Amino acid sequence: MTATPKFYIVKRPAGNCEILPIAQLEQQNPSIIEKWGPYDSAEDAIARRIGLIRAGKCQPQ
């Protein structure tokens, strides 16, 4: 069995939120204000990001 990659939603200083796989998350730690996750798929992370935008926690890109 292969492990599926986990995804995180990260908030940047500009207020935008991005979806990153865990490998990229470890490389870009200094510029992250908040993070949410892990999520099992990119589709799940996209749905959660939409919820964060609607809640006012993130700005749309």
Side-chain angles (χ1 to χ4, degrees):
M1 283 181 91
T2 60
T4 57
K6 300 288 184 183
F7 294 88
Y8 283 85
I9 301 171
V10 296
K11 185 174 183 179
R12 299 290 184 185
N16 294 342
C17 289
E18 293 181 38
I19 298 170
L20 297 176
I22 194 166
Q24 286 184 356
L25 178 71
E26 294 169 354
Q27 297 171 0
Q28 298 183 7
N29 249 351
S31 65
I32 295 172
I33 295 174
E34 285 186 74
K35 71 177 179 178
W36 297 272
Y39 301 106
D40 292 328
S41 67
E43 292 83 11
D44 191 24
I46 290 169
R48 303 292 180 159
R49 185 178 71 178
I50 292 169
L52 290 169
I53 291 169
R54 289 182 178 166
K57 297 202 181 264
C58 295
Q59 298 296 319
Q61 292 181 343

